[in-house]
Amino acid sequence: MAAMRLAPLSVLLALATGAPLEAPSVASRPLTFGKDGSFQISVFEDLHFGESMFACPNDSRDGSLILKPDAWDSWGPQQDINSVKVLNNVLDNETPQLVVLNGDLITGENAFVHNGSAYVDQIVKPIVDRGLLWASTYGNHDSDFNLSSASTWARENTYPNCRTGRMAVASTPGMMGLFSGHDHGDTWCYRWDRVVPGTTVAGNGVNLCFGQHSGYGGYGNWIRGARQIRVSRAELRKRNLTAETWIRLENGATVGSVVLNSTFNQDRYPPTKDDMTYCPTCNYTVVTPHPKAVSANKLLEEPSHGEWKAGGEL
């Protein structure tokens, strides 16, 4: 199993205490708490753009589609259109200070280096249109053999509100929680403060939470949404490491609201229904096998953004 992507909250302690943060050179404004003294993060997991198609968004950053003559199946672009709707619907109902695209932005088994950057443009358009700051982590599918996470990172950093950098989560002082995707059907939180049966390592009390499958790409038909995380500057200054978290669904409803505090794992919360949603414009009765390598190689030799050379390392 590939390593899960993790989004740490320890950066918020530095914000709360006034410690300096090292920001990427493309950043034009700092991460700040809102006027009400809170800081909120919206986390989108497993969008899986670019499935089952050679067609891709054009390079004009308007999110429109070009269907090439050798396009694969039409349901791939339709999945992405509906995933963009999820982004818009969630962000219409939330006002985060930071958006995190938490891995598996693109399905690298289908997309390619030469068009991967165009998918980045389509994914971030709802964020850019709202003037929000965002950062990404990259999952196993973002680094599949057809893609280059370095090229994805370079494309993201052409936007001034991108904050994607490099951060290690090991031994991070003040880390309150780790938020992961990868397992599309999991949305639970758990305080890891003991040896879990079947393991040999005792947790140190860090909160572990799965997000919500956000994209119409990838496996599973659980209702789409995005995990929200909110902390208070006043509480952080008192070293009260408490965070509120909930999931905003694509239909505007919220589920799974919990408070990650000293009594978490003891408090009782209402269960989340196992609701499903299905791509309304996708025709899955036509599923074409993956094109043969010779066809893929022919496409890869077409003019690209100049990010790589055919025959070189992907």
Side-chain angles (χ1 to χ4, degrees):
M1 179 180 293
M4 296 185 291
R5 291 94 54 203
L6 304 171
L9 281 179
S10 57
V11 64
L12 299 177
L13 275 181
L15 285 171
T17 57
L21 289 174
E22 183 178 350
S25 59
V26 296
S28 59
R29 71 177 189 267
L31 292 170
T32 58
F33 284 82
K35 293 181 179 179
D36 63 352
S38 68
F39 189 96
Q40 182 176 331
I41 305 173
S42 291
V43 185
F44 292 88
E45 315 268 10
D46 299 291
L47 290 163
H48 282 282
F49 273 66
E51 289 195 344
S52 194
M53 58 181 175
F54 284 145
C56 66
N58 66 20
D59 201 27
S60 65
R61 298 190 176 185
D62 65 0
S64 60
L65 294 173
I66 298 174
L67 292 179
K68 298 182 179 180
D70 53 359
W72 193 347
D73 282 333
S74 64
W75 49 263
Q78 290 301 317
Q79 287 183 164
D80 295 350
I81 290 171
N82 282 278
S83 296
V84 169
K85 290 180 180 178
V86 174
L87 284 155
N88 279 315
N89 290 345
V90 169
L91 295 176
D92 282 346
N93 286 281
E94 302 289 354
T95 54
Q97 279 70 44
L98 179 68
V99 176
V100 174
L101 304 172
N102 201 22
D104 286 356
L105 285 67
I106 304 170
T107 296
E109 298 94 326
N110 295 176
F112 296 88
V113 172
H114 86 289
N115 64 11
S117 60
Y119 292 119
V120 171
D121 296 338
Q122 190 182 20
I123 292 168
V124 304
K125 188 175 187 299
I127 305 170
V128 173
D129 286 349
R130 291 167 173 80
L132 299 173
L133 303 179
W134 95 84
S136 298
T137 68
Y138 302 136
N140 54 308
H141 290 280
D142 297 309
S143 302
D144 256 316
F145 54 90
N146 290 338
L147 283 182
S148 162
S149 56
S151 295
T152 301
W153 183 84
R155 186 64 167 195
E156 286 192 58
N157 277 276
T158 64
Y159 291 91
N161 50 345
C162 173
R163 296 303 178 84
T164 302
R166 293 175 174 85
M167 177 182 289
V169 299
S171 301
T172 302
M175 184 165 60
M176 299 163 59
L178 295 175
F179 297 84
S180 174
H182 188 69
D183 290 351
H184 296 185
D186 291 334
T187 59
W188 44 263
C189 292
Y190 176 76
R191 170 166 292 152
W192 184 27
D193 58 358
R194 67 201 72 184
V195 176
V196 177
T199 68
T200 59
V201 179
N204 63 357
V206 67
N207 295 300
L208 307 176
C209 292
F210 279 100
Q212 186 86 2
H213 182 197
S214 303
Y216 274 85
Y219 69 88
N221 291 304
W222 298 278
I223 188 169
R224 277 69 177 181
R227 180 168 288 285
Q228 311 299 311
I229 308 156
R230 184 169 60 205
V231 296
S232 162
R233 175 168 53 191
E235 294 302 313
L236 290 176
R237 281 176 170 169
K238 293 187 291 186
R239 297 290 170 170
N240 182 9
L241 304 186
T242 297
E244 301 172 81
T245 183
W246 65 95
I247 292 171
R248 176 70 67 174
L249 299 177
E250 58 185 320
N251 61 10
T254 59
V255 295
S257 180
V258 301
V259 179
L260 303 177
N261 57 14
S262 60
T263 58
F264 183 70
N265 271 20
Q266 304 170 34
D267 303 326
R268 298 185 67 87
Y269 296 96
T272 298
K273 294 181 179 179
D274 197 21
D275 291 336
M276 302 284 174
T277 53
Y278 302 88
C279 180
T281 57
C282 295
N283 178 12
Y284 292 116
T285 63
V286 179
V287 180
T288 307
H290 194 294
K292 294 182 179 180
V294 62
S295 299
N297 288 336
K298 181 180 178 181
L299 179 67
L300 289 173
E301 290 169 358
E302 293 182 0
S304 68
H305 296 297
E307 296 162 333
W308 74 294
K309 294 182 180 179
E313 182 180 355
L314 293 181

